[in-house]
Amino acid sequence: MEMTVAGLACARGGLPILEGVSFHLGPGQVLILRGPNGIGKTTLLRTLAGLQPPLAGTITAPAETVAYAAHADGLKAVLTVQENLQFWARIHGTDTVSEALEAMNLADLADRQARNLSAGQKRRLGLARLLVAGRPVWILDEPTVSLDAASVALFAGVVRRHLAGGGITLIATHIDLGLEEAAVLDLSGFKARYQSGAFDEAFA
Amino acid sequence: MTALLLRDLRLAVRAGGGFGLGLAFFLIMVVLVPLGVGPEGELLARIAPGILWVGALLACLLSLDRIFALDHEDGSLDLLATAPIPLEGAVTMKAMAHWMTTGLPLVLAAPVLGLLLNLPGGGYVWLVASLALGTPALSVIGTFGAALTVGLRRGGLLLSLLVLPLYVPTLIFGAEVVRRGAEGLSVTTPLLLLAGITLGSIALLPFASAAAIRINLR
Amino acid sequence: MSIWEYANPKKFMETSGRALPWFTGLALVTLLAGLFWGFFLTPDDYRQGSTVKIVYLHVPAAMMAINAWIMMLVASVIWLVRRHHVSALAARAAAPVGITMTLIALFTGAIWGQPMWGTWWAWDPRLTSFLILFLFYLGYTALWEAIEDPDTAADLTSVLCLVGSVFALLSRYAVNFWNQGLHQGASLSVAPGERMHMTYKLPLYVSMTGFALLFVTLVLVRTRTEIRARRIKALLARERMG
């Protein structure tokens, strides 16, 4: 699996915010996105995940290869940990969730309803979904929010195993995950210049 | 895809209110109408088909905004849109779950409520048949309305305004089936037209609903 | 030169700016001429008396109420296929004009119906169809107003317009099926054995042309306003980002 992004521009609320974003990731490579709040990290990740069309540029990895983890975990409060994960496993055509539960240290909580989990446990369950999705590109938006140090280390281990299997990972984060091998891309340099307005046709 | 249907049904059962809400509304409506228009059996018998269909329609309308709102809030909708199942299929499953939690109980309860409204004997079979045939269309059309308003904070009233005119043909043919059935006339034409609307909606509207969701998630 | 060049906002503003005074003038002249001719220069009907003259408002308004929706449908399809902003804005601009035309048709219908049928409102299939059309217009406009992002709003309203058109047509047939109605048949008919005499028909044609021109004028003015509003929005956004 490889991912090449060239000249990507994306918009939020109809306004271009990033342009000229380019990078290349080979198998087993990880990229950390940085930049101040509001620069457009989430917008870029949603564009890469295929949730919104880019204004310009190309992405070689099709949306079907991407597993996306957003701020919201997509958990249902009245379902148990097992049921929540099982649902996403079925949607992605896999059926075993025990390994994923084990990997994210959730096996003991399998029968607990999601509403009774702590914020960090919910986050771990949300991230466990990546493992059952079985997709080679992981796109993670602030994955470590509300995780404690031990869980961050646990998750870094999960990401390393994914990379070792030839996977690709993109992470937008402010927290150091301890992935020394990661390349870093600062988005500050790709801020869209204001010449390209939202309704630029009007000024043609 | 059945996983989605099963999850939605399970959520409706566990969260409560899923099955009961529409049904309770239907019952309230049917109890209030005779109190409002008076107890004469003949009058009630004449308006029963219309009241029952309008009641079913409003009961359906009541729960529409829940179809996507919760999934949108907790992020599941984003994940479903990027999942390997086609969004058109997911939307159809959501509509089906809505029908099974709202439409189906109405179909089953309707004969009892028909009794309260003094519906003539010939009408019961056609009441159940027309609701069974017509309420899926209400759910599918409603799902389209819910897909249009999914990103809006106060979409409830707007949703009703959008969906109500779309419900007109279904209501007219559905109530007509029951009226004709109660009077002992032939119901074939309105029944076929009702079936046509339902099948056409199920076949085509999921594409529009999925498109609306994709636009709203952008 | 391709016709799509006029879909460029700047080009559209130039061309429509030059055309607008002509349309305004023509609309005023034909409308006044048609209505004056119809109201004052035609004889009273032997059965309906002078009441029948409301036809010169009722029929053109009803015609434009439907044509406005058809124009919105075409504009919506153009927006969805070719992504021309002017097209989406023209659809948005036409909706309130269409609502007004629908209301005129409904009110004149009521005023006409009172002496003829003895009631202000009857659930006659045509009147009912127009009431339903009015609901469609309301929903469409409400959706435009509710969504903040203009491109999202344009996309969603276009999808609604497409689906709504199918259901509006279905409703039309359903309503016919539901009640055969009191309404007199189509006022204009190309079939032989026509129901309306030329003396009444000619001013009606003029009045219809007047309404059509009025519609074009109003839609042009409103589209220009929408474009200007979008430019202001774009400028403000730039300033914020600047």
Side-chain angles (χ1 to χ4, degrees):
Chain A
M1 189 67 215
E2 299 204 12
M3 183 179 205
T4 307
V5 169
L8 194 70
C10 41
R12 180 178 55 211
L15 288 178
I17 50 171
L18 289 171
E19 62 185 13
V21 179
S22 305
F23 57 82
H24 171 85
L25 288 172
Q29 289 191 315
V30 53
L31 180 68
I32 290 180
L33 298 173
R34 290 198 197 280
N37 293 130
I39 188 75
K41 292 191 289 294
T42 298
T43 307
L44 176 62
L45 294 185
R46 286 178 70 85
T47 308
L48 294 174
L51 283 166
Q52 60 181 68
L55 285 181
T58 52
I59 307 164
T60 56
E64 293 78 54
T65 60
V66 172
Y68 172 57
H71 295 282
D73 290 316
L75 302 178
K76 294 295 174 190
V78 293
L79 297 185
T80 65
V81 168
Q82 168 98 20
E83 285 167 340
N84 264 304
L85 199 55
Q86 191 92 51
F87 167 67
W88 290 112
R90 289 221 184 98
I91 289 288
H92 284 274
T94 49
D95 216 23
T96 49
V97 298
S98 51
E99 277 167 40
L101 287 175
E102 208 69 58
M104 289 311 296
N105 199 14
L106 289 163
D108 298 337
L109 302 171
D111 294 324
R112 193 183 287 190
Q113 285 198 338
R115 66 170 146 210
N116 297 326
L117 295 179
S118 76
Q121 288 165 336
K122 277 185 193 155
R123 192 79 253 219
R124 261 152 53 204
L125 177 51
L127 294 171
R129 193 182 44 81
L130 295 167
L131 291 165
V132 298
R135 288 181 162 182
V137 181
W138 286 5
I139 291 186
L140 315 173
D141 198 350
E142 301 285 0
T144 52
V145 169
S146 62
L147 289 185
D148 58 20
S151 300
V152 171
L154 181 78
F155 180 61
V158 169
V159 171
R160 279 220 180 79
R161 246 172 293 147
H162 175 64
L163 298 173
I168 290 174
T169 307
L170 265 104
I171 312 176
T173 184
H174 294 288
I175 296 160
D176 191 14
L177 270 163
L179 295 164
E180 302 82 9
E181 66 272 38
V184 175
L185 184 70
D186 193 329
L187 289 178
S188 312
F190 300 105
K191 197 170 170 191
R193 278 157 295 132
Y194 64 86
Q195 271 85 351
S196 44
F199 194 45
D200 54 329
E201 271 187 68
F203 304 92
Chain B
M1 251 188 276
T2 46
L4 181 59
L5 179 65
L6 290 175
R7 182 197 70 155
D8 273 18
L9 291 178
R10 191 177 278 167
L11 286 175
V13 174
R14 286 214 196 142
F19 287 100
L21 198 66
L23 208 53
F25 183 83
F26 198 26
L27 179 71
I28 290 171
M29 174 109 185
V30 168
V31 170
L32 286 183
V33 165
L35 295 179
V37 303
E40 299 107 80
E42 209 175 300
L43 174 66
L44 287 178
R46 215 174 56 229
I47 60 172
I51 298 299
L52 288 166
W53 254 92
V54 170
L57 190 151
L58 292 177
C60 226
L61 203 60
L62 199 63
S63 48
L64 286 182
D65 59 341
R66 291 163 57 113
I67 295 182
F68 294 118
L70 297 176
D71 278 345
H72 184 247
E73 264 166 40
D74 67 19
S76 311
L77 204 55
D78 282 342
L79 301 177
L80 276 177
T82 56
I85 60 171
L87 197 52
E88 287 78 6
V91 164
T92 310
M93 288 299 133
K94 295 292 272 180
M96 201 157 142
H98 178 262
W99 180 74
M100 289 173 81
T101 50
T102 313
L104 190 60
L106 294 182
V107 175
L108 299 177
V112 183
L113 299 180
L115 215 60
L116 286 179
L117 289 177
N118 197 22
L119 184 72
Y124 287 92
V125 177
W126 299 117
L127 175 65
V128 174
S130 72
L131 282 175
L133 208 55
T135 44
L138 297 183
S139 287
V140 174
I141 296 169
T143 305
F144 170 64
L148 282 179
T149 53
V150 71
L152 299 171
R153 218 163 291 278
R154 273 161 225 241
L157 187 64
L158 177 64
L159 176 56
S160 309
L161 185 60
L162 294 181
V163 165
L164 223 50
L166 300 177
Y167 275 174
V168 169
T170 318
L171 172 68
I172 287 180
F173 292 130
E176 187 72 10
V177 169
V178 188
R179 197 182 61 76
R180 291 193 179 191
E183 289 174 12
L185 304 170
S186 159
V187 299
T188 321
T189 318
L191 200 65
L192 286 179
L193 288 168
L194 184 64
I197 289 175
T198 302
L199 293 177
S201 301
I202 293 175
L204 297 176
L205 271 182
F207 294 99
S209 308
I213 288 187
R214 284 199 193 95
I215 293 164
N216 265 322
L217 288 183
R218 272 199 319 236
Chain C
M1 191 175 92
S2 146
I3 186 169
W4 298 115
E5 271 188 34
Y6 293 100
N8 173 296
K10 192 159 180 256
K11 182 90 183 155
F12 175 85
M13 287 301 270
E14 280 172 19
T15 319
S16 64
R18 261 183 277 122
L20 198 54
W22 294 97
F23 272 110
T24 316
L26 266 175
L28 270 178
V29 169
T30 31
L31 199 61
L32 288 177
L35 290 182
F36 187 81
W37 187 358
F39 285 161
F40 301 111
L41 304 180
T42 54
D44 285 357
D45 186 74
Y46 74 95
R47 220 157 37 86
Q48 302 192 11
S50 61
T51 319
V52 75
K53 293 186 174 177
I54 204 167
V55 78
Y56 298 109
L57 281 175
H58 181 70
V59 170
M63 179 188 82
M64 289 324 294
I66 295 169
N67 286 358
W69 185 275
I70 295 173
M71 186 225 120
M72 277 157 52
L73 175 63
V74 173
S76 298
V77 172
I78 293 177
W79 159 252
L80 286 178
V81 176
R82 301 202 52 133
R83 315 299 289 177
H84 293 307
H85 284 93
V86 171
S87 186
L89 294 179
R92 178 180 193 168
V97 186
I99 291 186
T100 315
M101 293 294 177
T102 315
L103 280 178
I104 293 177
L106 282 173
F107 275 106
T108 52
I111 294 169
W112 194 358
Q114 214 287 326
M116 289 301 110
W117 307 333
T119 168
W120 292 103
W121 178 261
W123 288 91
D124 161 85
R126 286 207 190 186
L127 285 182
T128 313
S129 301
F130 270 87
L131 192 62
I132 295 168
L133 182 64
F134 178 64
L135 289 179
F136 272 107
Y137 271 122
L138 272 192
Y140 177 86
T141 328
L143 190 61
W144 260 114
E145 296 304 322
I147 301 165
E148 232 167 277
D149 181 68
D151 281 0
T152 308
D155 280 334
L156 291 177
T157 50
S158 299
V159 174
L160 177 67
C161 189
L162 252 66
V163 173
S165 301
V166 177
F167 277 87
L169 214 61
L170 276 176
S171 304
R172 177 89 182 85
Y173 286 106
V175 164
N176 266 340
F177 178 83
W178 163 77
N179 183 350
Q180 306 305 329
L182 309 159
H183 214 103
Q184 62 187 73
S187 303
L188 285 176
S189 159
V190 278
E194 53 206 84
R195 273 158 286 196
M196 210 173 162
H197 197 267
M198 258 321 180
T199 328
Y200 297 106
K201 244 185 190 177
L202 280 179
L204 185 56
Y205 285 139
V206 178
S207 178
M208 282 161 91
T209 317
F211 265 80
L213 285 168
L214 177 69
F215 173 76
V216 173
T217 310
L218 290 177
V219 170
L220 280 182
V221 171
R222 292 188 51 86
T223 310
R224 288 167 61 82
T225 314
E226 295 284 350
I227 290 176
R228 289 194 175 115
R230 280 295 291 278
R231 284 181 172 172
I232 291 170
K233 234 181 165 179
L235 283 173
L236 285 175
R238 277 184 194 191
E239 232 161 60
R240 270 202 309 276
M241 287 181 78

